[in-house]
Each structure stands twice: as C-alpha cells, then as structure tokens.
Amino acid sequence: MNCTGNETVCFTLNGTWRGGGPQILKGCATPEVCHLQANTTLGPEASGFHLTAKPECNYVAPTTHPGPHVPVTHTKAKVTVCFTCSDLHHCNPLPCTEDRNYCLQIAGITVLGASNSVSWRNGSCVASKDCTSDNSIFALTYGIGFGFRVNTTCCQGNCQEPPPLATLPASGTLSKFLCPTCPGGHSGPCNHFFYMQCPSGETECVQMNLVSEEGGRNLSVRGCGTRDLCQIGGLPTLPGHRLARWPVCSTTQRAVLDSECHSGAAPGPRLALPVLMVALGTVARS
C-alpha cells in the first residue's frame, strides 16, 4: 500500500486481540508508533490489540514519481557506528544496537606537572537519555600545571573518534575569578588560606575527593572547575582514580580580582601569572 501524509513509517505489530490468538498487523503509521513498548494495549483495554513485542519499523524512502502503482522502497533507521580504543592510538569500529543508538565520545587529559600527563579517548554505545547535551566539558585546575580536562560529545551515524587532547588550554587566558586551592602536594583536608586565579571558562570553586586505584590513598584537591563538572554530577571517567563522593561546588568562597586602583592612582599592570596565590584578606568576596 502507498503511505500518505505524515505516515512515513512501515510497521509490523505482533500481538493479540482480547480473547483471540496471536496476530501480525502490517501497514503505514506515523513515527510515534515506533516508540510503543511491549505490553501496550492499542484501543480500549477490554477489546484492544495487546502488543507482545516492541513494534518493528522501517522508514519510507520517498520515490521520484509517486503514484498509485509505483512501488515504495524502504530503508532501515540509520545505524550508529561508535568506536572502542585499546590505547590512545588504536581504535576499532563498534556497531550500536537499536536501543543504544548513540555514541558517547570521550577525550581527556590529566596533567600532574610539566612533564607528567596522561591522555585517553574512548567511545561507548548509550541510550538517548544518556546524551544530556551535545558537548560537555569537565575540567578542574588546582595548581600550576596540575589539573584535568574531559570533553564529551554525542553522535549518531558514522562517528569518528575525537583527536586526543595534547595539552590543557593555555594557562595565560585567565578570568577575574579566584578560588581556594591547596598549595603543593596535599593529602589532607584543604584550608582556605591560599587562592588561585581561575582559567577562562572555569568559574566554579570546586573541592574533589579522589581515591587512587593503585594505592587506595585519598587525595583532596581544591581549585577552579567548569559548570558542567558541578551541574551534571562528576566525571564520566578519570583513569587511575575514582571519586570518593560527588564534587562539592560553591560560589561563596569565590573571590573577584579587582584591577581598579581606588586610591586615585593609575591602575597597575594586570597580573600575567598562570596562577595567583594570595592571602584571603587581599581580595573581595563575590
């Protein structure tokens, strides 16, 4: 049969009429029919058609010259091809199933000093509800050359693996915000006596408690983070560490760097240090 109007899907329904045996129904429908689940009843509960399986759907490809006797061709819904990586440089295609037809792409880097960094990337097939946004950035900076950044994106169709992150964003691009940090290597609770100037885009003051997978040692870090890190509820992955609990984010401890000179003198030069450590009393709270 020729489909008309908004009925752009060819469907197959498996089920039973109330009081009858199994039956298969085929025809044209609107795309919403494809979202029905097994055990749904179409029509009145007492006399409707009870689905025993999820509908099978093929999408109609329009013909060049439609007419009453022109055959209609069908194409299946686009299949997503994700990827899985054995290491940073070797990735293989990974076909996704119909119920997990989105590819969650991850590229990340952890930097622990000028000569110590670890990059990774990977993909996984997920359901649509697990792709909450097109692009999320989980980042935390807690010292000069110390921090991490994880970029996540969602894709459908033939998805290519993202390029590895080679470095963190340029530390010379700084915002006007300052957040508490822990000076040097710190394994205990952070205090509030030292502040750092936040990189551009990292506007939240964050404290994270991490546990090393190797030694099981707790590590408390404090610094500047992105809004995604606070709103979405933590990192998707961080090799070698796991979260002891969700990040603690706050703007009450955030300070604002004021470059104005209130004494009437000309404003001084802007600070160009990647990270600014100052005493708590020298800045104004926001």
Side-chain angles (χ1 to χ4, degrees), residues 206-225:
V206 182
Q207 179 167 346
M208 292 183 63
N209 294 284
L210 303 172
V211 178
S212 172
E213 298 286 3
E214 295 181 358
R217 184 173 68 94
N218 290 338
L219 178 66
S220 181
V221 293
R222 194 181 188 104
C224 307

Side-chain angles (χ1 to χ4, degrees), residues 70-92:
V70 177
V72 180
T73 58
H74 307 284
T75 58
K76 288 190 174 182
K78 181 184 291 185
V79 175
T80 295
V81 179
C82 196
F83 61 94
T84 181
C85 302
S86 57
D87 56 48
L88 188 62
H89 305 289
H90 299 88
C91 299
N92 296 312

Side-chain angles (χ1 to χ4, degrees), residues 120-252:
W120 71 95
R121 60 178 176 172
N122 213 336
S124 57
C125 297
V126 299
S128 59
K129 64 180 179 64
D130 296 317
C131 286
T132 55
S133 63
D134 292 334
N135 186 18
S136 299
I137 299 175
F138 303 83
L140 177 71
T141 301
Y142 55 94
I144 300 177
F146 287 82
F148 61 77
R149 185 181 182 91
V150 181
N151 295 351
T152 68
T153 56
C154 269
C155 169
Q156 268 193 304
N158 188 13
C159 303
Q160 302 296 321
E161 60 268 19
L165 298 181
T167 59
L168 293 176
S171 58
T173 307
L174 300 175
S175 70
K176 63 180 180 179
F177 297 115
L178 300 97
C179 286
T181 187
C182 298
H186 196 82
S187 58
C190 297
N191 58 41
H192 299 175
F193 299 122
F194 292 91
Y195 273 64
M196 62 177 290
Q197 191 172 358
C198 297
S200 178
E202 298 181 19
T203 60
E204 307 294 320
C205 295
V206 182
Q207 179 167 346
M208 292 183 63
N209 294 284
L210 303 172
V211 178
S212 172
E213 298 286 3
E214 295 181 358
R217 184 173 68 94
N218 290 338
L219 178 66
S220 181
V221 293
R222 194 181 188 104
C224 307
T226 56
R227 190 163 296 174
D228 286 337
L229 185 66
C230 298
Q231 291 182 341
I232 301 180
L235 288 172
T237 180
L238 189 61
H241 293 83
R242 60 179 174 84
L243 289 175
R245 56 179 178 267
W246 294 123
V248 177
C249 301
S250 172
T251 57
T252 60

